[in-house]
Each structure stands twice: as structure tokens, then as C-alpha cells.
Amino acid sequence: MDDVLRLDAVGQAQAVRDGQVTARELAEAAIARIEAHDGELNAVIHRRFERALAEIDSIPEEAPFRGVPILLKDLGWREAGEPYSGGSNVRDGVEPGVDGYGVVSLREAGFVLLGRTNTPEFGSTITTEPVAFGPTRNPYDPAYSAGGSSGGSAAAVAAGMVALATASDGGGSIRIPASLCGLVGLKPTRGRVSLGPAMGEGWSGFSCPGFVTRSVRDTAAALDVVSGLRPGDPYDAPALPGPLADEVGREPGRLRVGFVTRHPNGSVPEVPALTEAVTRAAALLESLGHDVAPGGPRALAEPGFAQHFGAIVANNLAAHVESLGELRGALVRPEELEPRNAAMLGAARTHSAADHILATQWIDGYRRRMAAWWSAGHDLLLMPSLGVAPFPLGWIPPQDLSVAFGRTAHAVAYTSPINATGQPAISLPLHRTEAGLPVGVQLVAAAGREDLLVRVAAQIERARPFEHAALR
């Protein structure tokens, strides 16, 4: 059965259709693997195994992913009748009253929902070490972080508990865990996947739902399942030419690719492992027939970005904390929060409504300045997925906030601008450190061009198949 669990989700679905394994046997095997490996990794914080097994017989035979196990990130991806914490003790025991649209789509596609994965409190940092549930460990080295905020999902997929898991990305929270755990992680175009019905947008449009997977075809097929405009959504992503799954194997053509190995604003230290990863990826793209040259958007160098982005995130966190207080019928006190979030809450309370609007207007201009690089004729931008080397647990110190915020700013320097612009970006597992830890590289396309990312990512995957050494 381990051989079937090593398949990607598309392969597992085919195995069920072919009668190689039943849907129940596949789910039971995934449950057994979670029980065997999660004690060390702490990726799955809520298990709904009995309920999941009871639901299998009602899955229609024609469902495309009938019987394929999946885990849901415990941030967003709401499921009625199940605990939902967002990584925090503040909302312990508070359950959402209605399924999110994405969860409904996953059920209709035949996925078996086995439980929920660990995430940092409110998803506001790059490592999954919440006080509420404890740290998630990296399957490649349990002393190291699996990243955040989708760290629990990434660790579970890398360890072979499931073939894919849901995720979300507000500043790099799909791409960073994908990088650290050797996975594929695509942040879609803003509006591609609805956050409804509970929300219209996350972090003023910065946050997007998605997946962490082990193959490009899984990423494409899973996004096809959950994509689409819903009534009342505030954004509508540009239409794709067809299903993303059909783009796998389709030739991307000769592309014009720029690449960046050192952050142009000069504040982010250069890391040799990241430089090597991007340089090798650039050479691979060139060998595949693309026009590759150093360079990227001039707007990446603008020093004001981090200040405006951070203010908007803090303001959104403050609004979230306020809503939690209303939900539970008692104000959330700063001392109930982890120090990082208490500090962000304090900062937000110094901002006026006008300050918030001015910050969003600055980002509006930034988005146009960034987009100019693609509209001038470039197809893809190649950069590190993470601005720092793989790091151990505790590297983001919970009490020393000056160090924590500084290291976090460096880590998200290549990802958060793409959340602000709303463009799609994909992290691919193309490199390892000398110690064998994964390092991802990131490709960014113009808004609406997930199809192009899937084509070129699949081309890269064919040329240099991804290794999943943690899948033991």
C-alpha cells in the first residue's frame, strides 16, 4: 500500500478507478501513515478519521478524485461542524457554521477529508510553531522548520501522509513551506479561488487559497477543482484558456525570462545556496530553449514596500482579532495573543483609517509599476522562493521581536511583493543544500497566466524530475 501512497493524487485516483485499491483501503492507509509518522512531525492537529471513513460510501463513482485523501489547513478552508482554531487558543472550540466554497468543491470532486493541519497563530509568520499546538517539524530534518504558514500541510505532504493538502498564501505561505519541504506550491492569481462565503478577501486581497503538492499535474488538477468566480466575490481573475490540467505537457514556446539572485533593494543578505539554486534554474531554462537574462522589475528595489505591506497586514490582523471578540462575546486582550501578534495589534491601533487607505493606494501604484516589466515583453521572473536559507525551529524567536521581524522581512522579500501585485507564482523543488535540505525557486507570471506557469513547470519537471527524499 505504501507504493500507492507514494503516487500523486492523480495517480491515486487512477488506482481507485482501475480497482488496484478501494477508496476505503486508500483512506485507511493514509490514516495509518499519519498515525505512524505524525507523532514526530506534529503536522495534523485535528483528526476526523471516523467521519471521513463514514463518508466514503456516499462519494459518487464518477467523482474525479474519488477516495483520494486530503488534509485541510486550519486557516481558511472552513468545514462546518469541525473545530477551527487558526493556530490560536483565542478561538479554541469555535466552529464555523458553513462549509467554505473550496471545501464544498473538494467534497464534490471525491476527496476524503482526513483532518486539519497545523499553522502559526493567524498565519502571520513564516514558521509553524504556534503556542496552541506546538511546532511542526520538517520531514527532511526534524530540527528544522517546515515553514509557514502552511507548514503543517507541507510537512504532511512531504512525509507521504497525503498526496496533497490545502494551503493559503498571504506573504509567501504556500511558496515558503513548499520550498522548505521540497514540494510544488502555486499561489494563484488574486480572485482565481473564492474565499467565500465567509470572506470576500484576505489581508486586503494579498491572501489566496491554493495547495502544496508533489507534482505539477496535481497542482493544476486541484486548482481546476476549486477555481471559479462565486456570486458577490470582490475580484475576478482573468479567464484561463481552458483547464489547467490540459496545460501539463503542452509546450510553453520560447519564453523571455529574467532572473534575480540578489534582492535589488540591497537590504536582504545574499545567501549562496539561494544564488546557486536560481543560477542553476536559469541555466536549465536556457537549455530548454528559453531566452534567459539577469534582471527584473525596478519596483522590487523600492524601499517603501515593506512598510506599506506590513501596515496593511497589521490592520487586517487587528480587524480579525476584533471579529473574534465579537464571535466569542468578549474582547480579545493583547496578552491572550502570541507576542508577535500582540505587537502587530498595537501597531495597527496607531494607524488611522486614512493611513490604511493611503497604504492601499500606494500598493495600487506599486502593482502597476511591477506589472510594467511583464507588459514590456517579459514572460517570467525567476527568483528565490525564500529569502533566507533553510532554518531550524526557534530561529524566529517568539520573544525577541526585533530579531523576529527582521528575519521575517528578509524571508518574505521575494514572495510578499507578488502577494501585493496579485500575480501567480510557483515554487519548484530544484535544489538541495549541502546538508540535503530542500531549496525552492520561484517563477512569477503576469496576472492570469497560471496556464503559462503550469506549462513551463511541467517542462522543467520532465527535464529534471523532482526528488522527494523525505517520502520514506
Side-chain angles (χ1 to χ4, degrees):
M1 188 58 71
D2 274 354
D3 289 344
V4 178
L5 289 179
R6 289 188 179 94
L7 297 173
D8 65 1
V10 172
Q12 290 180 3
Q14 188 64 51
V16 172
R17 284 193 294 273
D18 291 346
Q20 182 181 346
V21 62
T22 69
R24 183 171 298 276
E25 288 170 340
L26 183 56
E28 288 174 342
I31 289 169
R33 191 164 180 90
I34 292 170
E35 291 176 333
H37 293 278
D38 198 49
E40 178 184 33
L41 298 181
N42 190 36
V44 185
I45 59 168
H46 173 63
R47 303 177 182 188
R48 62 183 304 279
F49 297 161
E50 291 185 7
R51 186 177 175 187
L53 292 173
E55 293 167 347
I56 288 176
D57 290 341
S58 64
I59 301 174
E61 291 285 340
E62 66 274 13
F65 285 96
R66 182 175 184 274
V68 175
I70 193 170
L71 290 163
L72 304 179
K73 180 181 179 179
D74 197 33
L75 187 66
W77 300 97
R78 290 167 169 81
E79 183 184 8
E82 295 292 336
Y84 180 83
S85 69
S88 176
N89 284 321
V90 171
R91 64 176 304 151
D92 185 40
V94 176
E95 300 179 4
V98 64
D99 285 341
Y101 290 143
V103 170
V104 172
S105 295
L106 292 174
R107 288 184 184 280
E108 291 175 346
F111 285 102
V112 179
L113 280 53
L114 294 184
R116 304 189 71 82
T117 60
N118 204 6
T119 184
E121 186 177 64
F122 309 143
S124 62
T125 189
I126 59 162
T127 184
T128 302
E129 303 178 51
V131 170
F133 299 100
T136 292
R137 300 181 180 276
N138 192 313
Y140 283 84
D141 186 334
Y144 275 72
S145 173
S149 62
S150 307
S153 288
V157 174
M161 299 177 194
V162 289
L164 79 172
T166 70
S168 56
D169 193 319
S173 289
I174 290 174
R175 291 159 288 164
I176 288 171
S179 176
L180 290 172
C181 292
L183 302 174
V184 178
L186 192 158
K187 181 197 84 67
T189 297
R190 180 177 301 161
R192 182 71 66 202
V193 182
S194 176
L195 289 164
M199 299 173 63
E201 63 177 10
W203 284 8
S204 296
F206 295 164
S207 185
C208 302
F211 299 86
V212 284
T213 75
R214 295 195 296 264
S215 69
V216 174
R217 70 177 186 174
D218 269 9
T219 289
L223 281 173
D224 284 337
V225 167
V226 299
S227 293
L229 182 70
R230 300 286 186 144
D233 282 348
Y235 308 106
D236 185 10
L240 293 166
L244 285 174
D246 291 349
E247 303 296 340
V248 177
R250 186 169 290 170
E251 289 300 317
R254 189 180 184 93
L255 303 177
R256 187 180 177 191
V257 183
F259 70 93
V260 172
T261 59
R262 186 181 181 94
H263 203 284
N265 71 13
S267 67
V268 183
E270 187 171 9
V271 179
L274 308 185
T275 299
E276 184 178 4
V278 172
T279 301
R280 288 186 174 186
L284 174 60
L285 285 165
E286 189 170 41
S287 74
L288 293 171
H290 302 296
D291 295 321
V292 183
R298 287 186 296 176
L300 276 175
E302 295 183 19
F305 170 78
Q307 173 191 345
H308 291 93
F309 184 90
I312 292 171
V313 171
N315 296 345
N316 276 268
L317 184 139
H320 180 62
V321 169
E322 185 79 15
S323 70
L324 285 180
E326 294 177 0
L327 187 64
R328 72 177 192 174
L331 290 176
V332 177
R333 302 183 307 276
E335 57 268 26
E336 294 181 80
L337 304 174
E338 294 182 22
R340 170 191 71 258
N341 288 325
M344 292 173 68
L345 177 64
R349 287 176 173 170
T350 70
H351 302 156
S352 69
D355 290 336
H356 181 74
I357 296 299
L358 288 171
T360 61
Q361 289 175 344
W362 190 94
I363 292 293
D364 288 342
Y366 180 80
R367 182 166 56 250
R368 296 183 190 281
R369 295 190 293 276
M370 284 283 285
W373 187 80
W374 279 266
S375 62
H378 294 89
D379 297 298
L380 296 173
L381 174 63
L382 170 66
M383 301 188 292
S385 298
L386 176 64
V388 298
F391 53 89
L393 292 167
W395 186 73
I396 303 291
Q399 302 298 331
D400 191 336
L401 295 181
S402 177
V403 171
F405 284 131
R407 289 178 173 176
T408 301
H410 290 163
V412 303
Y414 296 101
T415 52
S416 57
I418 312 307
N419 294 90
T421 65
Q423 295 170 244
I426 191 168
S427 180
L428 300 175
L430 288 178
H431 192 63
R432 295 279 189 274
T433 67
E434 291 184 359
L437 296 170
V439 173
V441 297
Q442 174 184 200
L443 288 166
V444 185
R449 295 307 310 271
E450 288 96 327
D451 59 320
L452 184 59
L453 287 181
V454 167
R455 286 183 209 167
V456 74
Q459 182 188 45
I460 289 170
E461 187 180 27
R462 291 194 305 272
R464 186 171 297 171
F466 305 146
E467 299 179 1
H468 302 291
L471 187 57
R472 60 187 187 277

